[in-house]
């Protein structure tokens, strides 16, 4: 029997930046949404906008996914409400600029909890039902940072390397079973990420122009819908990602630090 349900997409980190732009793209294609972020008021504003403009159903969940119990809480709540998630977008994440030894431990562990543990937990919870239905899509948002070591943002770069490796492996495991896993790797993008991370004055953002967030989100969305395993937004970012695979690691690391350093 053909399933005529309207597709529902769950997007984390949906109150701004890439997550917000992805939500608009899903809504434009008449998909219902479950939006998750820490800020309830921001989420409600986004929901009102999307419902008014596109006429889709938008459920908001104000939740801090860096809390260890949050992914299970979210999964259980949606289950009680009978919501079936067809597309999972693990977009929530953050970084912090500075030498590892100087950054508070809670900041480093917080990045690991949100960027790695919560993403892994949510993928585990929602992938099972997708496999049972024989349909579904997962997007894990990584970064071109994941292709090389990142002095001055060591933990963030390492977490994104995990997301790339994890996602590519999962994509192989589910191949041919009706479910796709896409790893989306934006480069520097014009969002509020750099303000929270403290990288707004780095060479990367001051001298090397970041990409427009709408363009980046569109690249990721199209790649997800095509079932591509790895999506790198922008040809310059693709060239960088490919070049670091063959360049000497010491040189790659030195260049990575130079790009991250702050400039006047």
């Amino acid at each position: 029997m053909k399933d005529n349900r309207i597709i529902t997409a769950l997007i984390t980190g949906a109150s701004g930046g890439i997550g917000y732009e992805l939500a608009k793209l899903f809504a434009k294609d008449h998909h219902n949404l479950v939006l998750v972020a820490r800020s309830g008021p921001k989420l409600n504003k986004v929901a009102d906008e999307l419902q008014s403009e596109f006429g889709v159903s938008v459920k908001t969940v104000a939740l801090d996914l860096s809390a260890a119990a949050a992914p299970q809480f979210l999964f259980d709540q949606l289950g009680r409400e009978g919501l079936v998630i067809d597309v999972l977008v693990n977009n929530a994440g953050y970084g912090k600029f500075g030498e590892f030894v100087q950054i508070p431990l809670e900041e480093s562990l917080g990045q690991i909890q949100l960027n790695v543990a919560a993403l892994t937990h949510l993928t585990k919870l929602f992938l099972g039902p997708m496999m049972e239905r024989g349909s579904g899509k997962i997007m894990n948002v990584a970064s071109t940072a994941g292709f090389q070591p990142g002095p001055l943002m060591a933990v963030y770069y390492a977490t994104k390397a995990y997301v790339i490796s994890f996602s590519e492996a999962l994509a192989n495991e589910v191949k041919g079973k009706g479910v796709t896993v896409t790893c989306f790797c934006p480069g520097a993008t014009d969002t509020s990420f750099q303000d929270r991370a403290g990288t707004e004055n780095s060479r990367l953002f001051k001298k090397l122009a970041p990409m427009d967030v709408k363009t980046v989100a569109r690249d990721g969305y199209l790649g997800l819908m095509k079932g591509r395993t790895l999506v790198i937004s922008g040809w310059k970012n693709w060239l960088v990602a490919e070049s670091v695979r063959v360049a000497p690691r010491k040189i790659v690391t030195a260049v990575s630090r130079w790009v991250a350093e702050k400039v006047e």
Side-chain angles (χ1 to χ4, degrees):
M1 180 181 295
K2 186 176 180 180
D3 189 348
N4 291 317
R5 287 186 305 104
I6 297 175
I7 290 174
T8 298
L10 166 60
I11 306 174
T12 68
S15 60
I18 293 173
Y20 165 69
E21 295 298 337
L22 285 170
K24 288 202 292 185
L25 291 168
F26 276 104
K28 185 178 179 180
D29 282 349
H30 309 292
H31 301 320
N32 290 335
L33 293 165
V34 177
L35 305 180
V36 182
R38 293 180 301 166
S39 173
K42 287 183 179 179
L43 278 180
N44 291 335
K45 183 177 179 181
V46 171
D48 290 343
E49 174 192 339
L50 298 181
Q51 287 170 332
S52 174
E53 185 172 355
F54 300 108
V56 297
S57 171
V58 183
K59 175 180 175 57
T60 64
V61 182
L63 186 65
D64 184 357
L65 287 169
S66 66
Q72 187 69 56
F73 173 86
L74 175 62
F75 180 78
D76 291 344
Q77 178 176 326
L78 297 181
R80 285 191 296 269
E81 296 178 14
L83 282 172
V84 175
I85 301 302
D86 303 285
V87 182
L88 170 64
V89 178
N90 280 313
N91 171 70
Y94 79 102
K96 194 67 178 178
F97 177 87
E99 293 186 355
F100 174 72
V101 72
Q102 301 294 336
I103 294 175
L105 178 61
E106 58 268 23
E107 287 282 8
S108 295
L109 295 181
Q111 291 175 70
I112 295 170
Q113 180 62 41
L114 182 58
N115 301 2
V116 174
L119 177 146
T120 305
H121 197 170
L122 287 169
T123 301
K124 179 71 172 181
L125 291 170
F126 288 99
L127 178 59
M130 290 180 184
M131 295 293 283
E132 291 176 4
R133 294 192 304 270
S135 65
K137 294 180 180 294
I138 294 176
M139 173 194 278
N140 289 330
V141 179
S143 167
T144 53
F147 293 107
Q148 66 266 316
L152 305 181
M153 290 190 75
V155 171
Y156 176 75
Y157 276 56
T159 63
K160 294 306 181 179
Y162 169 88
V163 175
I164 294 170
S165 178
F166 173 65
S167 301
E168 288 184 314
L170 280 189
N172 177 273
E173 291 181 2
V174 303
K175 186 177 181 180
K177 299 176 181 177
V179 178
T180 61
V181 176
T182 296
C183 184
F184 179 38
C185 297
T189 305
D190 188 12
T191 69
S192 61
F193 170 88
Q194 56 265 36
D195 297 327
R196 183 180 183 186
T199 58
E200 66 275 13
N201 292 318
S202 67
R203 281 192 182 90
L204 181 62
F205 285 96
K206 293 271 285 190
K207 303 296 185 182
L208 307 173
M211 288 185 64
D212 171 68
V213 66
K214 293 180 183 293
T215 301
V216 171
R218 190 181 309 114
D219 288 344
Y221 183 77
L222 293 175
L224 171 68
M225 290 308 178
K226 291 177 181 177
R228 293 172 56 192
T229 298
L230 185 66
V231 179
I232 299 173
S233 182
W235 67 268
K236 290 182 181 179
N237 291 324
W238 182 86
L239 284 176
V240 170
E242 289 300 311
S243 67
V244 300
R245 297 175 188 267
V246 296
R249 296 293 282 176
K250 285 187 178 180
I251 293 177
V252 169
T253 305
V255 171
S256 180
R257 178 178 182 126
W258 181 82
V259 169
E261 288 174 341
K262 294 187 176 183
V263 295
E264 296 297 330

